[in-house]
Amino acid sequence: MDPFTERTPRVVSAVKLLRGAERRKAGRFLAEGENAVTEALASVPVHELFFTANAAARYPDLIEKARVAGVRSSLVTDRAIRALSDTVTPPGVVAVCDLLDMPLDAALSSTTRLLAVPVAIGEPGNAGTVIRVADAVGADAAILAGDSVDPHNGKCVRSSAGSLFHLPIVRERNTDVVLDTLSGAGIQILATAADGEVDLDEADDLLARPTAWLFGNEAHGLDPAVAARADHRVRIPIRGRAESLNLATAASICLYASARVQHRDS
């Protein structure tokens, strides 16, 4: 059989999933590259796999795994894979998967100890990095609150390095709903702030408690009204001459600090 082209209806249908509105409508998204496709096959329903001849030679085990799992797998042209990709150099393998996000209530439980809550995060690379860090430190979920980027955006999926498939992902546009739900579940809310009243180095007693960390927008930080809802505002001590830390770095430091204390005390 000849490979599918960029005009083949199934390819055309999948290409539409590069747009957020189409992802919401179809309830599906694209996972691109060996790492993401491997994690998708191990974690979620995968409906279709597209691959080039070069990818078939590079990732034979991956493609065989998809076929054994009953995933419809199709050889496509290089032009078709470029249409399916939002990268300059496509890796040659793309899976169509179900969306991953879940309702907020479903992501919380009586054993929830640590949550990453980026608020109004706009850069998909940062969102993916925060999700990756949350996964690395053993957080229970990542909650994208407010007007945040779609975690199924291709850059976010790649930046998460597979972690998007490892922990619950929540999107809730109403930040007040997120804060009310967390407080109602007995989870303390901590916000990063350059002028916070608590120094992270002296916060071990706080960090031992079930915690949701709020991280603000890359350009403007946390909205003052949102920061005011936190139980405590925490500053990260900066001992060098750097003026500040970017969102992903601050999130890494804070989430690691919480995980260190919680696992030490467990």
Side-chain angles (χ1 to χ4, degrees), residues 177-226:
V177 167
V178 173
L179 299 176
D180 290 343
T181 302
L182 295 176
S183 295
I187 298 169
Q188 75 171 342
I189 299 171
L190 301 183
T192 54
D195 60 348
E197 71 275 10
V198 179
D199 187 304
L200 184 64
D201 284 348
E202 301 169 359
D204 281 14
D205 288 347
L206 283 178
L207 300 183
R209 305 171 190 168
T211 298
W213 276 103
L214 304 183
F215 306 112
N217 174 274
E218 297 89 345
H220 310 294
L222 276 174
D223 182 286
V226 174

Side-chain angles (χ1 to χ4, degrees), residues 13 16-17 19-30 44-47 95-101 150 152 171:
S13 179
K16 294 178 181 179
L17 299 176
R19 301 195 296 271
E22 289 294 334
R23 290 194 290 269
R24 290 190 296 272
K25 179 180 177 182
R28 297 178 180 180
F29 76 109
L30 300 180
V44 298
V46 176
H47 300 278
V96 178
C97 315
D98 280 351
L99 295 182
L100 299 168
D101 49 340
D150 181 357
H152 305 96
R171 280 188 289 175

Side-chain angles (χ1 to χ4, degrees), residues 33-35 51 54-65 91-93:
E34 179 190 16
N35 183 283
F51 59 90
N54 184 51
R58 292 176 64 191
Y59 314 124
D61 293 343
L62 175 60
I63 292 166
E64 179 61 20
K65 182 177 180 180
V93 58

Side-chain angles (χ1 to χ4, degrees), residues 19-149:
R19 301 195 296 271
E22 289 294 334
R23 290 194 290 269
R24 290 190 296 272
K25 179 180 177 182
R28 297 178 180 180
F29 76 109
L30 300 180
E32 180 182 13
E34 179 190 16
N35 183 283
V37 172
T38 297
E39 297 303 321
L41 287 169
S43 309
V44 298
V46 176
H47 300 278
E48 191 145 18
L49 183 71
F50 299 105
F51 59 90
T52 62
N54 184 51
R58 292 176 64 191
Y59 314 124
D61 293 343
L62 175 60
I63 292 166
E64 179 61 20
K65 182 177 180 180
R67 285 176 169 154
V68 169
V71 176
R72 185 164 57 178
S73 303
S74 305
L75 180 68
V76 299
T77 64
D78 289 344
R79 288 186 65 177
I81 211 72
R82 285 196 294 272
L84 286 161
S85 174
D86 62 358
T87 63
V88 175
T89 307
V93 58
V94 176
V96 178
C97 315
D98 280 351
L99 295 182
L100 299 168
D101 49 340
M102 62 173 60
L104 177 57
D105 289 343
L108 304 180
S109 74
S110 60
T111 60
T112 296
R113 296 292 306 280
L114 183 58
L115 300 167
V117 188
V119 181
I121 188 170
E123 163 53 43
N126 278 339
T129 299
V130 171
I131 291 168
R132 184 177 184 179
V133 171
D135 177 28
V137 303
D140 297 292
I143 301 168
L144 279 66
D147 187 20
S148 288
V149 68

Side-chain angles (χ1 to χ4, degrees), residues 153-171:
N153 170 292
K155 186 175 181 180
C156 182
V157 175
R158 290 191 299 277
S159 297
S160 80
S163 289
L164 192 73
F165 298 98
H166 295 166
L167 77 168
I169 305 295
V170 176
R171 280 188 289 175

